[in-house]
Amino acid sequence: MKIKQINILGIETSCDETAAAVVAEGKVIKSSVVASQTKLHEKYGGVVPEIASRAHIEKIYPVIAEAITQAGVGEDNIDAIAVANQPGLTVALIVGVTAAKTLAFMWEKPLIAINHLHAHLQSALLGQDSPELPAAALIVSGGHTSLYDYHSPLQPVLLGSTIDDAAGEAFDKVASILNLPYPGGPSIEKAAKNGDSKAIKFPVSMLGKDSLDFSFSGIKTAVLYYCHGKDMKGENKVDSMTSEEIADIAASFQSAVVDALVKKTKRAAEKIGAKTILLGGGVAANTELRTRLQEMCDSMTPARKLLVAPKQYCTDNAVMVASLAYYKFKAGLFADLTLEPKSTG
Ligand code: KG4
Ligand code: ZN
């Protein structure tokens, strides 16, 4: 007898990607559709909430329709609708939440509310057999930088987070200072390839020897002062810098941020006795971070296993939402039609 698979439609609209996906049993990706708004926000150097909201409204229906068509499952074979309802931009989240509630009502399917950051964490487990637990999970995105103690998909415990800028935000802001294109993370990574990471010593606050929190506003300011002079009255040196000088700044900045992320993750792993390290979120696409975290895992005694989200599922997507929702489905953790978006979480 063929056992029926649980198919979940996931919806993600927390920031500047409109995404939908169908995932079976939490791991078989049947479809993944992402409409990126990068082009719309590029000229502002960051995400403009009203523009994001309007673009989500335009794209949400075609993106969901495409995800269902690609998956080849009819509406009858969708077992639940999952949506990221927090944290994120409220005016963006509300589009996905409203679409999910409408479908759940029309199709008479259960609704599942997903925490966007927990979903990023789940993306590190895509395609993996059960990892050895506990795991220390580093989630680095444009809006958040957080460390978790991961025992089960349903209850990651927050160990620390940024007290000011997120790592991705720092990449975006430094790219803007250096006149590099938006989004800043990939631009900095590209520029850094030709630079010397030891050229400039940019400080990153470690916030005390036991802290598992992060702070990246200081390094952003340090780069700003380096480029404009400390009193900000000096000429903008960036315009007259050579591409080698820009590359050195990018490489030195990237290396300092990665250093802080790796050291704090090691601290968290030691504190909770982690057997595995998980890495997810947009900044997890960064090759230097992936490489240095792997080196850290190899150097620990005993060596720890590193599980990293596949590159295409590091930045925002709905596969991670539908994947995590499977565990909530199994546990009977459903939301009702009063579900609201929440900016925090
Ligand atoms: O997870 P994500 O798609 O959205 C949020 O939940 O915020 O992350 C977007 C962030 C942006 O700040 C972007 O610059 C950064 O991830 N990012 C990177 C790279 N690719 C994306 N940062 C560093 N290196 C990259 N290759
Ligand atoms: Zn995200």
Side-chain angles (χ1 to χ4, degrees):
M1 191 182 80
K2 198 169 172 220
I3 297 172
K4 189 194 167 308
Q5 288 191 325
I6 302 297
N7 291 313
I8 297 185
L9 169 67
I11 299 173
E12 157 65 46
T13 61
S14 68
C15 191
D16 60 344
E17 260 100 28
T18 315
V22 176
V23 177
E25 301 289 303
K27 54 185 180 215
V28 184
I29 301 166
K30 294 198 159 172
S31 66
S32 175
V33 180
V34 181
S36 172
Q37 302 174 4
T38 303
K39 284 265 164 287
L40 298 177
H41 301 290
E42 207 168 24
K43 64 173 177 239
Y44 304 101
V47 178
V48 182
E50 284 71 21
I51 295 177
S53 182
R54 189 177 297 195
H56 284 309
I57 291 168
E58 277 170 19
K59 292 284 179 195
I60 192 77
Y61 173 73
V63 164
I64 292 174
E66 176 67 19
I68 292 175
T69 308
Q70 267 186 26
V73 292
E75 145 204 338
D76 291 350
N77 285 317
I78 302 264
D79 296 281
I81 318 288
V83 63
N85 75 311
Q86 67 177 116
L89 298 169
T90 313
V91 291
L93 287 165
I94 198 162
V95 180
V97 169
T98 306
K101 289 201 291 193
T102 308
L103 287 178
F105 176 72
M106 277 174 19
W107 293 348
E108 297 180 12
K109 309 280 179 188
L111 178 68
I112 300 175
I114 292 293
N115 178 302
H116 175 83
L117 296 176
H118 297 176
H120 269 305
L121 200 167
Q122 196 62 31
S123 65
L125 294 161
L126 282 170
Q128 301 292 338
D129 295 329
S130 318
E132 269 201 281
L133 300 176
L138 173 66
I139 303 306
V140 261
S141 73
H144 298 85
T145 303
S146 308
L147 277 165
Y148 290 92
D149 177 353
Y150 179 91
H151 281 83
S152 90
L154 299 180
Q155 276 173 328
V157 178
L158 188 66
L159 296 170
S161 56
T162 181
I163 60 163
D164 43 54
D165 290 353
E169 199 177 350
F171 269 92
D172 293 337
K173 287 178 177 165
V174 166
S176 153
I177 295 169
L178 297 177
N179 296 334
L180 295 172
Y182 173 85
S187 299
I188 295 267
E189 173 161 23
K190 195 165 161 220
K193 282 205 177 93
N194 306 314
D196 172 7
S197 63
K198 297 202 169 60
I200 308 146
K201 190 140 183 47
F202 289 127
V204 179
S205 167
M206 293 303 280
L207 302 169
K209 70 176 177 40
D210 298 322
S211 171
L212 294 176
D213 289 328
F214 300 91
S215 169
F216 294 112
S217 73
I219 187 166
K220 174 195 68 188
T221 310
V223 175
L224 189 68
Y225 285 169
Y226 185 86
C227 295
H228 290 254
K230 199 155 187 168
D231 57 6
M232 294 293 290
K233 287 190 186 133
E235 55 170 323
N236 177 355
K237 289 192 262 168
V238 176
D239 292 340
S240 53
M241 277 180 193
T242 62
S243 56
E244 286 78 19
E245 284 172 293
I246 301 273
D248 283 350
I249 298 172
S252 302
F253 161 79
Q254 176 176 266
S255 174
V257 170
V258 167
D259 205 45
L261 293 172
V262 170
K263 280 190 180 133
K264 292 275 164 115
T265 307
K266 184 172 186 191
R267 228 179 241 182
E270 282 164 349
K271 181 170 175 188
I272 65 165
K275 299 197 166 86
T276 305
I277 311 292
L278 307 177
L279 174 64
V283 184
N286 186 277
T287 305
E288 170 142 358
L289 176 59
R290 295 163 90 97
T291 309
R292 298 254 300 269
L293 213 50
Q294 183 64 62
E295 285 165 8
M296 178 209 94
C297 288
D298 294 343
S299 72
M300 289 178 82
T301 317
R304 307 303 206 271
K305 191 170 168 78
L306 175 67
L307 300 178
V308 187
K311 275 203 178 177
Q312 73 268 38
Y313 301 123
C314 284
T315 44
D316 291 345
N317 65 87
V319 167
M320 64 187 192
V321 172
S323 172
L324 176 56
Y326 172 74
Y327 299 94
K328 284 196 138 182
F329 183 94
K330 290 295 235 188
L333 295 171
F334 301 117
D336 62 35
L337 296 178
T338 62
L339 183 71
E340 295 280 356
K342 238 176 97 183
S343 60
T344 55

